[in-house]
Amino acid sequence: MRTFLLALLGMLAAAPGWAAGLHHDLTVTLDPAARRLEVEDRLRLPAGTHRLMLAPGLTVGEALLDGKPVTVRGNALPVTVPEGGGELRLRYAGTLPPLTPESRGGGGGTEGAYLPAGTGWMPTSENAEPPPSWRLSVRVPAPFVAVATGRLVEEARDGTGYTATFAEDRSVEEPSLFAGAWQVTERMHDGLRLRTYFHPEQAALAEEYLDLSARTIDAQAARIGAYPFAGFAILSAPLPVGLGFPGLTYIGRQVMPLPFIRAQSLPHEILHNWWGNGVRVGGGGDWPGNWSEGLTTFMADYAAAEGRGEDAARAMRLDWLRDYAALPAERDSALTDFRAKVHDAAQIVGYGKAAMLFHMLRAEIGADAFDAGIRRFWEDKRFQDAGWGDLRRAFEASSGRDLKPFFAQWLTRVGAPTVELAEAKGDGDGVALTLRQGEPVYGLTVPVEVRSAAGTERHTIRLDGRETTATIRTAAAPRALAVDPGFALFRRLSPGEAPPTLRDVTLDQAATTVIAADGPAAETARALAERLADGKPRIAAADRADPAAPLAVIGTAGEVDRLLARLGLPPLPDSLKGRGTARAWTARTPQGRPLLAVAADDAAALQALLRPLPHYGRQSWLVFEGARAVDRGVWPAGDSPLRVSFE
């Protein structure tokens, strides 16, 4: 879901909210190219004291409460409403900021307008109450089309522009408003209005996106409950984003054709209409935090991997665990602290660890009880705030089990368990083994596989203390044993299970970056260092690099080669020599610390890496031709101490 708006969503309990019973009736005139916004808002306010806020740059021309003037203080409107409620009539206007990738609060321009909820383009109450209901009529000049979250009530075109009215009668979210020079393709599907708002070059993709939207909605509705909105729309964004809103998603026009957008991003955003929009994040009680990203990742991204087979599902679980292995201890956090993906470290916990929690929960209580718990949670909490405790109670009701210890250990602790195969012996037609874990101890159901002449047998062993010993009887003499070979537990990977990846360096804020280039290439290398680092990079001269810290070397090929040789660091692997216009690879320094090297043929080849390379953090090595990754991979894993052969 959208990064900065999720921060608002995830903090509804403690951040600005909306007064109960508040209703907006908005008439909007929007000229994206001129960046001009004019609004008349008739607000129905319940009794009480309200403080309404508008974004900077918007000026109130009229403010009347039940016909009487209201004092405006800058962008704040303090209002006291008598018993029985009242109506506040506001007229305001202003110039929007330019629409750029940094437009966190929205903006406008020749390519359209983007006015997300919660950013003050319409009056936002500081009272922490449920979201308002609303009705919004908007007019934009040709060639623009406007769309808002909510139900499309009516629309019309004439020779000079486009007018439409949208409404939301339930407590969902303030409206978000968009405009663009789009072609609109519509399909009605079981009473739902499905639409694409695409730029002309994407017109050929419309039917495929509509097909996928219909299939995804049907599949999730069958599993959870009826789709909660009047339809779903896919908007082509001029910005390099992928954002989700109630009933629509806003995706960068450049990435729209990429297969992973259709295969993974679109189903993820559709599912957020249940989790995050249909049930809001909040009301956490003893266990606050944003649960919706982990549940959506599990039910969308991971479900798609399961649909491709166990190998794909295992690979995704291993990706999550390797991401976590790359996370420095000082950047780890409890799931109850996760609010939104403000950086990669937060995503590793809030998406990956949380998704693994749901994977382990399903294994613990069974698929039928898990699915019943999902349906119960939806029925009980739709269009309400919900927290981790509400999820626990739904799964307890469906499984008949006390799940508080399970949830408490995974939600409130920082870190992950370690699992050790302390001893394993073949014993006739069986295996005697001892499992051990570190402190603090977790309650773990540990998968174990035994291979014998009769085939592979799968078992589980319960590990509730520091150590347990068990004997597994097999159908034939055992040949080999593996503990958690499918990576079904959220745990710290053992040596050999986590070969170096880019994230070992980019996530570590103690890492040093050395620039190995001159002139314009040096400036580009510094810009790439900024893009790669999950935070502010520490750029230093080679002789000041900390040998005990992770190291990144970025620059042109010859300079990188010479610097690595001078420092006694691993050179470019033979398998990558002479390939592409740029190469990136990982290794270990002589001190055992992670090393990331990026070597490009020239400044232009470095420049081409600025956008794509940061998206490949899970890889150990890559080869680029310009901006395209033509080859990539993860170095082979070493021997795992969780595997033993009896032959």
Side-chain angles (χ1 to χ4, degrees):
M1 207 177 181
R2 55 204 187 276
T3 301
F4 65 94
L5 290 179
L6 263 181
L8 294 172
L9 178 64
M11 297 185 288
L12 273 174
W18 298 271
L22 191 149
H23 176 83
H24 293 267
D25 192 341
L26 297 140
T27 302
V28 178
T29 302
L30 173 62
D31 186 339
R35 301 182 6 233
R36 182 67 181 173
L37 176 71
E38 299 178 8
V39 182
E40 179 178 342
D41 188 4
R42 298 174 63 182
L43 291 82
R44 185 187 68 222
L45 294 166
T49 299
H50 305 271
R51 181 177 163 84
L52 303 171
M53 299 296 297
L54 283 171
L58 297 177
T59 301
V60 176
E62 181 180 61
L64 301 173
L65 177 62
D66 294 330
K68 298 179 181 178
V70 172
T71 300
V72 180
R73 297 172 182 167
N75 291 92
L77 291 88
V79 180
T80 300
V81 180
E83 269 315 305
E87 181 180 276
L88 177 65
R89 180 176 177 179
L90 287 178
R91 292 173 9 124
Y92 58 93
T95 300
L96 301 173
L99 187 60
T100 70
E102 291 73 39
S103 302
R104 296 306 190 211
T110 56
E111 291 199 88
Y114 166 51
L115 300 174
T119 55
W121 73 267
M122 57 171 285
T124 299
S125 173
E126 290 189 333
N127 294 7
E129 297 292 344
S133 59
W134 52 268
R135 184 180 178 92
L136 184 156
S137 294
V138 56
R139 171 79 179 179
V140 291
F144 295 105
V145 176
V147 60
T149 50
R151 170 176 50 90
L152 176 61
V153 177
E154 59 185 2
E155 62 182 344
R157 296 177 187 266
D158 56 34
T160 61
Y162 172 87
T163 303
T165 299
F166 302 85
E168 179 54 76
D169 302 323
R170 302 162 302 187
S171 182
V172 178
E173 184 177 281
E174 284 185 353
S176 295
L177 178 61
F178 312 82
W182 295 310
Q183 294 180 8
V184 181
T185 304
E186 177 178 295
R187 179 188 304 176
M188 296 303 295
H189 176 72
D190 292 339
L192 300 177
R193 186 189 304 275
L194 307 181
R195 279 189 169 188
T196 60
Y197 293 80
F198 282 179
H199 291 94
E201 72 270 18
Q202 299 146 351
L205 298 172
E207 292 300 329
E208 184 178 356
Y209 268 90
L210 293 174
D211 286 342
L212 180 56
S213 297
R215 292 198 305 270
T216 302
I217 288 171
D218 288 349
Q220 297 295 1
R223 188 174 184 187
I224 302 168
Y227 180 74
F229 296 102
F232 185 75
I234 305 118
L235 282 59
S236 171
L239 306 175
V241 295
L243 309 175
F245 300 84
L248 63 83
T249 185
Y250 191 57
I251 301 175
R253 66 191 296 181
Q254 291 183 332
V255 301
M256 193 78 75
L258 300 180
F260 84 89
I261 296 294
R262 283 160 282 178
Q264 186 166 319
S265 300
L266 182 63
H268 185 102
E269 299 305 342
I270 290 174
L271 186 55
H272 266 306
N273 286 284
W274 282 272
W275 311 134
N277 294 324
V279 180
R280 299 188 300 269
V281 173
D286 293 339
W287 295 336
N290 181 347
W291 50 266
S292 75
E293 291 298 353
L295 185 55
T296 300
T297 299
F298 177 71
M299 293 185 67
D301 308 51
Y302 182 68
E306 287 187 309
R308 297 191 294 273
E310 174 53 25
D311 286 349
R314 179 184 182 276
M316 184 168 284
R317 297 192 298 268
L318 180 55
D319 278 344
W320 292 334
L321 294 181
R322 284 179 171 166
D323 286 346
Y324 185 75
L327 183 67
E330 64 273 13
R331 303 199 68 195
D332 199 359
S333 61
L335 268 171
T336 49
D337 293 329
F338 173 68
R339 297 296 183 270
K341 181 195 169 184
V342 293
H343 42 58
D344 285 348
Q347 182 180 22
I348 288 169
V349 174
Y351 289 60
K353 181 178 181 178
M356 282 291 286
L357 179 154
F358 290 109
H359 170 73
M360 292 185 293
L361 176 63
R362 185 179 62 179
E364 193 75 21
I365 67 176
D368 290 344
F370 184 89
D371 287 346
I374 287 292
R375 291 190 292 271
R376 186 183 188 99
F377 178 62
W378 171 245
E379 285 297 320
D380 289 348
K381 304 304 294 185
R382 56 185 172 180
F383 299 112
Q384 300 176 53
D385 291 348
W388 283 106
D390 298 298
L391 276 162
R392 173 179 67 86
R393 285 184 284 274
F395 288 118
E396 285 180 335
S398 67
S399 66
R401 293 181 51 178
D402 176 11
L403 296 173
K404 187 172 183 179
F406 175 91
F407 276 91
Q409 67 182 7
W410 297 114
L411 293 178
T412 63
R413 294 181 184 176
V414 178
T418 57
V419 178
E420 176 188 352
L421 179 59
E423 187 176 18
K425 294 180 179 179
D427 180 19
D429 290 342
V431 175
L433 70 155
T434 298
L435 296 178
R436 188 177 295 151
Q437 65 171 313
E439 295 284 355
V441 298
Y442 285 70
L444 302 174
T445 301
V446 184
V448 176
E449 289 186 3
V450 183
R451 181 172 56 82
S452 71
T456 299
E457 300 180 16
R458 294 172 175 82
H459 303 267
T460 59
I461 295 175
R462 187 68 190 175
L463 178 59
D464 287 305
R466 283 275 288 118
E467 184 176 293
T468 190
T469 298
T471 299
I472 298 173
R473 292 298 167 196
T474 55
R479 295 177 175 175
L481 176 143
V483 176
D484 192 27
F487 306 102
L489 290 178
F490 186 78
R491 59 181 174 86
R492 293 197 179 278
L493 292 174
S494 300
E497 293 180 309
T501 65
L502 273 66
R503 277 187 165 175
D504 289 330
V505 177
T506 61
L507 281 171
D508 198 327
Q509 294 181 330
T512 304
T513 299
V514 177
I515 303 302
D518 296 314
E523 290 305 310
T524 304
R526 286 187 176 86
L528 182 57
E530 295 272 356
R531 291 272 295 138
L532 286 172
D534 193 38
K536 185 73 174 174
R538 300 174 60 185
I539 297 176
D543 58 356
R544 294 186 176 275
D546 183 355
L551 176 65
V553 177
I554 303 174
T556 50
E559 293 297 323
V560 169
D561 290 345
R562 283 187 284 274
L563 180 61
L564 294 177
R566 179 160 65 88
L567 297 177
L569 298 173
L572 173 70
D574 290 343
S575 60
L576 303 184
K577 287 181 178 178
R579 301 180 61 191
T581 57
R583 294 136 308 272
W585 71 96
T586 58
R588 299 285 181 191
T589 70
Q591 295 82 10
R593 304 303 294 168
L595 167 69
L596 165 61
V598 182
D601 289 350
D602 50 34
L606 269 177
Q607 181 74 30
L609 300 180
L610 286 175
R611 185 179 296 274
L613 186 56
H615 298 288
Y616 289 99
R618 288 173 172 164
Q619 304 302 309
S620 295
W621 57 270
L622 300 105
V623 176
F624 282 87
E625 287 283 359
R628 186 167 65 94
V630 295
D631 203 1
R632 57 181 172 164
V634 176
W635 299 129
D639 294 332
S640 170
L642 297 180
R643 296 175 179 267
V644 64
S645 173
F646 303 120
E647 295 180 324

